[in-house]
Amino acid sequence: MVTTRPSVQDVWTWLADVPDPEIPVISLVDLGIIRDVQWQGDTLEVTVTPTYSGCPATSIINIEIEAALRANGIENLSLKRQIAPPWTTDWMSDAGKAKLEGYGIAPPQPAGGPDRCPHCQSTHVKKISQFGSTPCKAQWRCTDCLEPFDYFKCI
Amino acid sequence: MSVTGLIRMGDNTLVLGQRVSEWCGHAPALEEDIALANTALDLIGQTQLWLRLAAEREGEGRTADTLAYHRDAWDFRNLLLVEQPNRDFGVTMMRQFLFDSWHLEALTKLVEHDDTEISAIAQKSVKEVTYHRERSGDMIIALGDGTEESHARMQSALDRLWPYVGEMFSTDTDDLIDMAALRPAFDAHVGAVLAEATLTRPESDFAHLGGKTGARHTEHLGHMLATMQVLPRSYPDATW
């Protein structure tokens, strides 16, 4: 029996459908943590980088990658963890940033803080705390609509 | 490359990570509780990287988990500073600020280390620790230059912890880098923050030593390890 290996492009497409477990509105590909996909003989090797070294979602992410690829018929799979170069929010896709804002999370900005409130678009925003509901986020507040919101930290 | 040097880095982040996580659910405000828990999480994540590499290089079949859970106090190589108890929020933040200020300088140097795996861990950690130092520094200024009560508590925290600063810059051939060389940059940053916080650096630089060599830990470490290690020690075959 002859089996054809799915193309690397197909694998990227499947991974683009796997949601981030903490922020399900964006995919793992949007987040920029899938660093490489390649065939090593009969084994598909997927290279993943953690967002923060202690992020508890890391192991769940690996389980979800494996489940998605198994569901598409991948049998021999190897997940490789890579910490250097370290993950940066520069690797987040523009589509991912737009989806974050639509979801109520201000996307990362090089200036180090959100440029506007993701709820009412006011530019009058204030930091509440450097840390938020997950390691990758900080807490901010809009001084116009008074809603608190998460800001995806720029690292 | 010394395995002890890697264990020192991992033990510092492990012991401080455990100490900081003791605040979970007890911090004075929800935002502070979340910030402390996130800081602890970063430190424990960094511990996994350092101790995994230490165990690999040692090559005796140990893992990051066995190093963390199946060693006794005299085998730990962390600085005395990080094992000091939390006491009040002021002492916790002062301990964090002093450690972060050393940690960031050390990691910045380690990024340039010839060993690519050491450099990779440093590159990952330096981003997280930049945030830690920014936050703890802001907190020292807010509380030091705050009310009469908060100022008095921060000065007393500084006086209490200063004798543990010197050990961070004591160095020997087991260290991954020359720690003594980090002191001028540490003094410059800490001096600027303390001035803005209206706090006075203690006159004496007397230093307690013995944590990073394992010669003489304080009594606090054993109590902390008893809590941290009880489950894997009681049930050595437990998995999660």
Side-chain angles (χ1 to χ4, degrees), chain B residues 36-236:
Chain B
L36 287 163
N38 271 307
T39 304
L41 203 56
D42 284 342
L43 292 169
I44 300 295
Q46 293 166 16
T47 302
Q48 289 173 330
L49 300 175
W50 287 120
L51 293 187
R52 182 186 297 145
L53 184 59
E56 274 173 26
R57 295 290 171 91
E58 185 187 55
E60 288 174 16
R62 295 204 281 186
T63 64
D65 276 353
T66 52
L67 284 172
Y69 294 127
H70 296 279
R71 282 182 301 151
D72 273 312
W74 50 80
D75 294 321
F76 272 73
R77 293 292 177 268
N78 58 280
L79 297 160
L80 297 175
L81 175 70
V82 295
E83 69 196 42
Q84 298 310 303
N86 290 340
R87 302 185 192 275
D88 65 13
F89 186 70
V91 171
T92 294
M93 290 318 300
M94 186 58 77
R95 184 186 62 199
Q96 191 69 39
F97 171 65
L98 295 172
F99 179 76
D100 291 346
S101 299
W102 167 82
H103 200 199
L104 187 57
E105 299 301 338
L107 291 170
T108 304
K109 214 57 184 164
L110 285 167
V111 165
E112 298 159 20
H113 202 280
D114 290 339
D115 187 313
T116 53
E117 288 185 274
I118 291 174
S119 169
I121 297 174
Q123 287 174 55
K124 187 74 201 157
S125 307
V126 82
K127 290 188 167 200
E128 298 166 355
V129 173
T130 301
Y131 259 95
H132 297 176
R133 192 184 75 168
E134 198 179 318
R135 172 173 179 275
S136 59
D138 285 352
M139 202 59 86
I140 297 306
I141 294 167
L143 293 172
D145 189 20
T147 64
E148 205 175 309
E149 170 76 13
S150 73
H151 174 86
R153 287 206 190 204
M154 294 317 285
Q155 186 62 52
S156 131
L158 180 61
D159 295 345
R160 175 186 283 280
L161 295 174
W162 196 255
Y164 299 102
V165 165
E167 190 189 17
M168 298 194 280
F169 306 98
S170 66
T171 200
D172 59 32
T173 50
D174 280 331
D175 279 325
L176 303 179
I177 48 170
D178 174 11
M179 297 300 176
L182 307 175
R183 184 89 203 223
F186 172 92
D187 279 340
H189 180 77
V190 168
V193 170
L194 292 182
E196 207 179 332
T198 69
L199 296 172
T200 310
R201 174 180 162 156
E203 274 176 28
S204 167
D205 276 340
F206 165 78
H208 291 292
L209 302 173
K212 66 187 281 184
T213 60
R216 194 166 47 251
H217 280 286
T218 59
E219 66 183 288
H220 309 295
L221 181 63
H223 292 274
M224 196 207 84
L225 293 181
T227 305
M228 186 181 89
Q229 297 179 332
V230 65
L231 194 126
R233 291 256 190 182
S234 308
Y235 304 94

Side-chain angles (χ1 to χ4, degrees), chain A residues 34-129:
Chain A
I34 310 287
R35 300 316 300 155
D36 195 26
V37 173
Q38 57 171 307
W39 285 100
Q40 299 279 5
D42 286 341
T43 302
L44 180 69
E45 191 179 85
V46 179
T47 306
V48 188
T49 193
T51 52
Y52 283 76
S53 59
C55 182
T58 307
S59 54
I60 307 293
I61 285 172
N62 287 346
I63 291 169
E64 293 192 345
I65 291 172
E66 189 168 346
L69 297 182
R70 297 247 183 264
N72 281 288
I74 302 291
E75 283 174 10
N76 298 323
L77 174 68
S78 150
L79 290 180
K80 206 172 115 189
R81 198 175 74 129
Q82 179 183 296
I83 60 166
W87 178 77
T88 158
T89 38
D90 294 345
W91 293 344
M92 191 185 284
S93 69
D94 288 340
K97 288 177 187 167
K99 283 188 242 174
L100 274 184
E101 189 170 18
Y103 189 63
I105 299 172
Q109 298 293 337
D115 59 351
R116 60 186 181 195
C117 166
H119 305 301
C120 76
Q121 274 68 52
S122 159
T123 54
H124 302 130
V125 293
K126 199 177 159 208
K127 183 167 78 184
I128 301 175
S129 173

